[in-house]
Amino acid sequence: MRILQVSSASSFGGGERYVVDLSNALIARGHELFAAVRPNSPLISQLLLPPANIKTLPLRNALDPQSARGLARFVKDHQIDVVHAHMARDYSLAAYAVRGRNAKLVVTRHVLFPLSRLHRRTLSGVHKIIAVSKAVAKQLYSQRLVAEDRIAVIPNGIDVERFAGACTNFDRAAFLVSRNIPVEAKLVSSIGELRKLKRHDDLIRAAAIVREQVAMAHFVIAGVDTSASGENQRELKQLANDLKLNDRIHFPGWLDDADKLLCATDVFVSASETESFGLSIVEAMATSTAVVATRTEGAQEVVQDGATGLLVPIGDVDQIAAAIVRLLKDNEQRIALGREAAAVARERFSLKRMVDDIERVYLE
């Protein structure tokens, strides 16, 4: 098939990893992939596409006539079979591009935020809306923008073997030294954009409690600041300074080797206010890392409390801290949770399973 992926993303997060992993896997299966992205898109360097298969457009918003016309011409000129859009502001542009053509429209809904009522018309011709979790599907059902039989729940998938393999013959001490972290550290990490909804500030406040009970506890908060002027990272660093945690909390920014960080981690924490799925949680599970996560809709679908991780109330700093301390002090439970989590990640959240399911939607 000739498949066009459309994404106006300007930063690289879980949704963008989804586009890259899906596209590159489909290329390996013999499909011809194309992408429509913004000129400085972070996807360009990650996609295994020849330059001729990448169309750059402004993709400013849902009512961008220049981009809509450019997308429609591209679909016509390249005889695209399937157009797959990934961000709400791109849905209307993709719908316009397939109008009157043989190409079919598929969209993925990656987040829990409600769609605008205007999307009822935009999505009237959609073949399938892919929801990355049951929670997302529930949100879509409640809005009644499309018939329920047009909604397919296809959970995210990751390259489980890559994450598990990263820990084989891994030199933890060398990694920690390279990050200016003591080799004897008990390492707690979190990976996610530095956004208010991720509630990294709750983790920092929990870190102050953990430090009093686990002498060598260190914390890594990895992710890009998505605020316009970097105020999110400044506020987090100021909080760490106020709590006298400057020597214990590390902010490495974007990591190309996030899998290595997970391999070095004793406890992974997701303190988010909302998660539609929890991709970084599954990545941690794949590396056999014990997980502490707040009870977001997505985390509850991924983590079985007490079996593959520990779930705690959203915003409860004391309980976040208590769960971290419990796992740092109980090696047996920490290892057992990580081992079971890795088995579940292999069984339920493989990239192959996700690509199989999406390819089946395309073939319909």
Side-chain angles (χ1 to χ4, degrees):
M1 288 177 286
R2 298 165 71 82
I3 302 158
L4 172 64
Q5 305 287 350
V6 182
S7 174
S8 59
S10 55
S11 62
F12 199 91
E16 291 66 53
R17 170 52 57 195
Y18 174 103
V19 176
V20 168
D21 285 349
L22 171 63
S23 299
N24 291 342
L26 289 167
I27 291 168
R29 295 184 180 201
H31 300 292
E32 187 168 5
L33 269 289
F34 302 82
V37 297
R38 287 176 169 175
N40 296 316
S41 171
L43 297 173
I44 294 174
S45 63
Q46 301 280 325
L47 292 166
L48 302 178
L49 294 176
N53 287 31
I54 298 177
K55 177 67 174 178
T56 57
L57 293 164
L59 300 175
R60 294 186 187 91
N61 52 52
L63 300 174
D64 179 354
Q66 176 188 349
S67 295
R69 290 192 295 268
L71 205 57
R73 282 195 299 271
F74 193 83
V75 169
K76 177 184 177 182
D77 292 346
H78 292 82
Q79 298 181 314
I80 300 297
D81 298 309
V82 175
V83 176
H84 190 164
H86 297 270
M87 304 187 78
R89 62 173 171 256
D90 301 331
Y91 294 171
S92 61
L93 305 180
Y96 177 83
V98 303
R99 193 174 300 160
R101 310 199 185 283
N102 291 326
K104 301 299 181 184
L105 176 63
V106 173
V107 306
T108 291
R109 191 68 181 145
H110 295 272
V111 295
L112 285 165
F113 309 118
L115 287 165
S116 160
R117 294 181 66 85
L118 295 174
H119 282 102
R120 184 183 305 278
R121 181 168 183 177
T122 297
L123 298 173
S124 61
V126 73
H127 172 70
K128 258 327 183 255
I129 301 180
I130 296 172
V132 300
S133 65
K134 292 177 182 176
V136 172
K138 183 179 178 181
Q139 173 65 48
L140 291 168
Y141 295 149
S142 70
Q143 288 199 266
R144 304 186 180 207
L145 297 175
V146 298
E148 288 192 10
D149 62 2
R150 293 197 193 181
I151 299 171
V153 179
I154 301 179
N156 279 332
I158 66 165
D159 188 345
V160 175
E161 299 307 320
R162 178 173 76 84
F163 280 91
C167 302
T168 302
N169 300 320
F170 174 63
D171 190 337
R172 184 177 190 268
F175 177 85
L176 293 177
V177 168
S178 73
R179 300 290 173 178
N180 296 316
I181 299 172
V183 295
E184 65 272 24
K186 294 287 190 180
L187 189 60
V188 179
S189 73
S190 185
I191 299 174
E193 292 179 335
L194 304 187
R195 303 173 61 201
K196 301 290 187 183
L197 289 175
K198 295 295 184 182
R199 299 189 76 127
H200 294 302
D201 56 327
D202 285 350
L203 175 55
I204 293 172
R205 292 186 179 91
I209 300 171
V210 174
R211 177 189 55 184
E212 298 302 316
Q213 300 180 58
V214 182
M216 286 307 297
H218 279 253
F219 301 80
V220 172
I221 300 176
V224 176
D225 187 350
T226 58
S227 58
S229 59
E231 66 264 22
N232 289 343
Q233 181 166 299
R234 283 198 302 273
E235 289 175 8
L236 292 173
K237 286 187 173 182
Q238 184 60 52
L239 177 59
N241 181 64
D242 294 344
L243 295 173
K244 297 181 172 53
L245 291 168
N246 284 338
D247 62 333
R248 296 301 183 94
I249 298 186
H250 311 264
F251 296 92
W254 170 262
L255 290 179
D256 288 322
D257 57 350
D259 51 352
K260 297 288 197 301
L261 171 62
L262 293 172
C263 292
T265 295
D266 293 294
V267 177
F268 179 85
V269 179
S270 171
S272 289
E273 182 176 314
T274 179
E275 286 285 358
S276 58
F277 177 76
L279 198 63
S280 61
I281 295 173
V282 175
E283 290 172 349
M285 291 169 62
T287 60
S288 300
T289 302
V291 170
V292 172
T294 46
R295 290 184 180 275
T296 60
E297 298 92 330
Q300 291 183 79
E301 289 187 38
V302 171
V303 176
Q304 184 181 351
D305 190 25
T308 60
L310 299 180
L311 294 175
V312 295
I314 297 168
D316 193 325
V317 170
D318 290 334
Q319 290 208 42
I320 293 171
I324 295 170
V325 169
R326 174 179 163 186
L327 293 181
L328 289 180
K329 288 187 172 183
D330 189 338
N331 291 340
E332 186 175 334
Q333 185 186 30
R334 188 175 71 248
I335 292 169
L337 287 177
R339 186 184 301 118
E340 184 62 25
V344 170
R346 283 193 301 273
E347 179 183 344
R348 294 180 52 201
F349 302 116
S350 74
L351 179 61
K352 180 183 182 304
R353 188 269 313 149
M354 182 189 87
V355 177
D356 284 347
D357 290 348
I358 294 175
E359 186 181 43
R360 196 171 296 116
V361 167
Y362 291 169
L363 287 169
E364 290 176 0

